[in-house]
Amino acid sequence: MKKLIAGNWKMNGGLAANEALVRAMLAGIGQPAAHVALCAPAPYLAQLQSLLAGSSVAWGSQDVSAHEQGAYTGEVSAAMLRDFACRYAIVGHSERRQYHGETDAVVAQKAQRALSAGITPIVCVGETLAEREAGQTEAVVKRQLAAVIHVVAHCTSEIVVAYEPVWAIGTGKTATPEQAQQVHAVLRHQLAAATAHPERVQILYGGSMNAANAASLLAQPDIDGGLIGGASLKAADFLQIVAAAG
Ligand code: 13P
């Protein structure tokens, strides 16, 4: 399966900085062996569309509303993302769960909204440090993924899953390839009960993935790509990760 390297810019960037970053990426990317995507703040999706249309790089959002349309001030619907040709929408990122109170049920709704609009949800799961130390890692990620599988049901093979241990996000602490693989195998096994082709579901690793550690993580049998935060804000670093996924 082709790997997927997706950048998550989080709440960073600006018109001028985005353009410089994207142009530098496009200048160096050639014909990547992996699928590549950039997930930008919603106001910049039109900019990404104009910069990336026709290139080998797709784009997506970092969130999507759980509602279809209507009186939900500040929300962005899946249909709106579709208007800007988003291929992906990150849902359930730990920062949304942590700071914006997103529950497993809300995350599942969001995944369903994205799928209904023809957008691939990148469903994030991951344990906190306290949960890992309490031996709850498997139970937590399985609960988070089960909520999504329950709602999207026969469309489970169309989602992307991202395992992002919360303690590894933005901390410089990466899960070892073995630690990550162990959780990815659990997720693959769980997907196998829900879809006939669990091997078709890309399971990305995220959490301080960078140019130096990408190759060893991506070499694991169940790591099908990466969801990259900080290193996706630097063209050279991001391109090295893309090259490591070849
Ligand atoms: P970092 O790569 O900055 O640790 O962020 C990972 C992440 O949260 C991607 O969604």
Side-chain angles (χ1 to χ4, degrees), residues 63-67 78 89-93 97 101-116 119 121-125 142-153 155-156 159:
D63 188 23
V64 61
S65 179
H67 305 285
I90 297 172
V91 301
H93 192 281
R97 294 179 190 260
E102 292 191 8
T103 61
D104 292 341
V106 165
V107 172
Q109 260 317 313
K110 290 182 171 202
Q112 179 59 47
R113 289 286 175 216
L115 286 168
S116 300
I119 294 166
I122 301 177
V123 176
C124 300
V125 300
K142 283 167 85 170
R143 187 201 75 221
Q144 292 171 331
L145 182 57
V148 172
I149 291 172
H150 177 70
V151 171
V152 308
C155 293
T156 297
I159 71 172

Side-chain angles (χ1 to χ4, degrees), residues 12-102:
N12 294 293
L15 282 176
N18 299 347
E19 179 161 354
L21 179 59
V22 169
R23 288 203 188 284
M25 286 180 179
L26 289 177
I29 202 160
Q31 287 297 322
H35 294 292
V36 181
L38 297 174
C39 296
Y44 299 124
L45 291 171
Q47 185 192 20
L48 281 194
Q49 184 179 22
S50 73
L51 288 168
L52 294 173
S55 80
S56 54
V57 180
W59 56 95
S61 66
Q62 299 171 8
D63 188 23
V64 61
S65 179
H67 305 285
E68 193 171 0
Q69 64 163 67
Y72 300 102
T73 302
E75 290 282 272
V76 175
S77 74
M80 293 170 188
L81 298 177
R82 192 66 236 160
D83 271 347
F84 292 91
C86 286
R87 169 110 181 254
Y88 299 100
I90 297 172
V91 301
H93 192 281
S94 64
E95 288 149 16
R96 305 273 338 151
R97 294 179 190 260
Q98 227 177 323
Y99 308 137
H100 302 275
E102 292 191 8

Side-chain angles (χ1 to χ4, degrees), residues 8 10 90 93-95 124 164 168-172 206-209 227-231:
N8 174 10
K10 308 195 179 183
I90 297 172
H93 192 281
S94 64
E95 288 149 16
C124 300
E164 297 209 313
I169 295 176
T171 58
S208 299
M209 200 193 245
L227 185 54
I228 320 298

